[in-house]
Amino acid sequence: MPRPAGPSGRIGRPPSTSRPQILEAARAILDRDGWEKLTVRRLAAELGVGATTLYHHVRDKDDLLVQLLEYYAERLPRPELPADPRERIVAAATVMHDSLAAWPQAVEVLTADDLLGESALWMVEAVVGGAIACGRTPDQAVELYRNVWYYTVGEILVRARAGRRAAEDRPRYRDTVFEGLDASRFPSLAAIGDRWPELTARDTYVRGLRAFVDGLLAQESR
Amino acid sequence: MPRPAGPSGRIGRPPSTSRPQILEAARAILDRDGWEKLTVRRLAAELGVGATTLYHHVRDKDDLLVQLLEYYAERLPRPELPADPRERIVAAATVMHDSLAAWPQAVEVLTADDLLGESALWMVEAVVGGAIACGRTPDQAVELYRNVWYYTVGEILVRARAGRRAAEDRPRYRDTVFEGLDASRFPSLAAIGDRWPELTARDTYVRGLRAFVDGLLAQESR
DNA sequence: TCGAGTTTTCGAACATGTTCCGAAAGTAGC
DNA sequence: GCTACTTTCGGAACATGTTCGAAAACTCGA
């Protein structure tokens, strides 16, 4: 469906869709059906367009997801960050974590493009800046940020995958491994016993984050 | 190709393959062609068997990978762990990290089944036991282990994905984002400038691990 | 020997992301 | 109106993991 556009100065077959339109349709699917339903073919159908057409406006699906993240990052409420630099780091990282936890697939994309778009850069800036304000060199500050990022990514991915597994009802290996546990070889684990699932289900992100940041800031300068 | 087996007491059509055979073939492919080449169809071809046949011996591909990991974990050299409990934690976690870093896909599976098989449990035991030896309660020890696990998983996945991206030669976003950076809004990042790629390429796993463990062990008991 | 029951095999099919390439639909010059 | 050029479209195809159902191959009992 070529729009009625007059002579637009452009040459060649007029596009039947555009990047912004694609992103908008993707958002619609995302908000309406959830991120599991966001597939290339479904997105194309939503636009009334062939599936392969999308690849003329978007490099690949990862590219699309990165763009979408940028959009959602834009309308993320930007909280008042604490004045204390250490608390600023914790607050910014927590925002990262909470924003991404709802959409684990996005994290898998971000593990490739570790920086978000410009509208999410303030979180990175807050962490790196906070570290510098704590007396770290820029190099050390980046290292701190990366470590926090690793921890955050790992937490989200592990929890997401574990949740997906729990949804299917096949018995999980870890729920049975403790039964025949040799207490002489694994004394600590045997002491935990079947409380493992319960313990690993707890949400300890912020506490772990605090410990990590404390540990990183306590490192003597090299 | 049914084997000449005599009356084996079993009923039904005799299996043309077995779980151990499948695992062995998978190992052959893994060692010969790398983990990217380990696909269901290729594995079936290696066995001279229909692809769907595998699903009678293996729940799904994740199941297969978990089994394979168990096998590789078995012949993992078990290092002499240091006597100092804190160093024991670091050493065990480092073994985990280094063993998995070579096969990132495996990590994606383990994010679902966070515990390895019995032959890898000694690492978990070392971390949890080390934490208890440092005066933590079992609950806190598990929390420490989990945090270390998150960090380790995140590090491996981020590095793996980043490496895969670098292999393709499409320009990465993060290499361009720093050029037009608003120094007034992002002072710290602007100060880093184009050194970002270099800084994030550094391997800082062990140093981060130490900081994390120190921070976790320094937490006051609740 | 023949039917019943049981277990395994495997081709067809589906949904996914993605690439290729010919066709479609425009503009520009004649 | 016609040809050349340019850009976009989209169907066919491929590889991936996985499900389904029908057929095959075996043992057991009558």
Side-chain angles (χ1 to χ4, degrees):
Chain A
M1 56 194 90
R3 352 168 206 183
S8 48
R10 293 205 353 82
I11 208 176
R13 177 172 178 168
S16 68
T17 187
S18 65
R19 213 181 166 101
Q21 280 175 37
I22 293 176
L23 291 174
E24 192 137 349
R27 272 174 239 142
I29 296 180
L30 218 49
D31 295 338
R32 171 159 33 89
D33 307 320
W35 59 268
E36 294 108 329
K37 301 293 183 186
L38 180 57
T39 70
V40 175
R41 283 177 174 79
R42 192 181 301 258
L43 177 55
E46 178 100 3
L47 285 160
V49 133
T52 60
T53 298
L54 299 184
Y55 285 84
H56 266 254
H57 303 88
V58 160
R59 177 109 56 170
D60 53 18
K61 202 185 177 186
D62 279 10
D63 180 25
L64 178 76
L65 295 187
V66 169
Q67 305 293 326
L68 282 175
L69 270 172
E70 168 71 11
Y71 172 82
Y72 281 106
E74 265 174 37
R75 43 217 71 202
L76 215 57
R78 196 170 306 200
E80 198 71 25
L81 289 179
D84 176 58
R86 183 176 309 224
E87 288 307 310
R88 216 154 62 218
I89 296 176
V90 172
T94 305
V95 174
M96 275 190 199
H97 174 268
D98 294 348
S99 321
L100 292 172
W103 189 14
Q105 241 240 357
V107 186
E108 308 199 19
V109 172
L110 287 184
T111 54
D113 274 293
D114 52 2
L115 267 194
L116 306 99
E118 183 157 353
S119 48
L121 264 190
W122 63 267
M123 302 189 230
V124 185
E125 169 68 28
V127 173
V128 175
I132 292 180
C134 286
R136 308 261 99 185
T137 68
D139 286 33
Q140 292 170 332
V142 172
E143 186 174 325
L144 183 144
Y145 163 73
R146 279 234 122 193
N147 282 325
V148 167
W149 178 240
Y150 295 150
Y151 168 65
T152 304
V153 164
E155 204 266 358
I156 292 175
L157 287 183
V158 169
R159 292 201 100 78
R161 293 270 225 289
R164 213 178 305 167
R165 275 296 170 96
E168 316 163 14
D169 57 351
R170 36 176 146 175
R172 299 196 52 192
Y173 170 70
R174 76 172 193 192
D175 293 335
T176 70
V177 69
F178 284 97
E179 295 177 6
L181 209 54
D182 183 349
S184 65
R185 288 168 58 213
F186 308 112
S188 314
L189 297 183
I192 310 284
D194 54 8
R195 296 183 50 236
W196 185 270
E198 171 209 335
L199 291 179
T200 57
R202 292 183 183 169
D203 179 6
T204 62
Y205 173 78
V206 176
R207 198 158 53 223
L209 174 63
R210 281 217 140 77
F212 205 175
V213 172
D214 288 350
L216 287 164
L217 290 179
Q219 268 180 154
E220 76 271 23
S221 313
R222 281 147 282 137
Chain B
M1 55 194 95
R3 0 171 199 185
S8 48
R10 297 208 348 84
I11 208 178
R13 177 173 181 169
S16 67
T17 187
S18 65
R19 212 181 165 100
Q21 280 175 37
I22 293 176
L23 291 174
E24 192 137 349
R27 273 174 238 141
I29 295 180
L30 217 50
D31 294 338
R32 172 160 32 89
D33 306 322
W35 60 267
E36 293 108 326
K37 300 293 182 185
L38 181 58
T39 71
V40 176
R41 282 176 176 80
R42 194 182 300 259
L43 176 56
E46 178 100 2
L47 285 160
V49 133
T52 61
T53 298
L54 298 184
Y55 285 84
H56 265 254
H57 302 88
V58 159
R59 177 110 60 169
D60 54 17
K61 201 185 176 185
D62 279 10
D63 181 25
L64 177 77
L65 296 187
V66 169
Q67 305 292 326
L68 282 175
L69 270 172
E70 168 72 11
Y71 171 82
Y72 282 106
E74 265 174 38
R75 44 218 70 202
L76 215 57
R78 197 169 304 202
E80 199 69 26
L81 288 179
D84 177 58
R86 183 178 307 225
E87 288 306 311
R88 214 153 64 219
I89 296 176
V90 173
T94 305
V95 174
M96 274 190 199
H97 175 267
D98 293 350
S99 322
L100 292 172
W103 190 13
Q105 243 240 355
V107 186
E108 309 198 18
V109 172
L110 286 184
T111 54
D113 273 292
D114 53 359
L115 266 195
L116 306 99
E118 184 157 355
S119 49
L121 264 190
W122 63 267
M123 304 190 230
V124 185
E125 169 70 27
V127 173
V128 175
I132 292 179
C134 285
R136 309 262 100 185
T137 69
D139 286 33
Q140 294 170 330
V142 172
E143 184 174 327
L144 182 144
Y145 163 74
R146 279 235 122 194
N147 281 324
V148 167
W149 178 240
Y150 295 150
Y151 168 66
T152 303
V153 164
E155 204 266 359
I156 292 175
L157 287 183
V158 169
R159 293 200 99 77
R161 292 271 223 292
R164 211 177 306 166
R165 275 299 170 96
E168 317 164 12
D169 57 351
R170 36 177 146 175
R172 297 196 53 193
Y173 171 70
R174 78 174 192 189
D175 294 335
T176 68
V177 69
F178 282 96
E179 295 178 4
L181 209 54
D182 184 349
S184 64
R185 287 169 58 212
F186 308 111
S188 313
L189 297 183
I192 310 285
D194 52 8
R195 294 182 53 234
W196 186 270
E198 170 209 335
L199 291 179
T200 56
R202 292 182 183 170
D203 179 6
T204 62
Y205 174 77
V206 177
R207 196 159 54 222
L209 173 64
R210 282 216 138 80
F212 204 174
V213 172
D214 288 350
L216 287 164
L217 290 178
Q219 270 179 155
E220 75 272 23
S221 313
R222 275 147 283 133

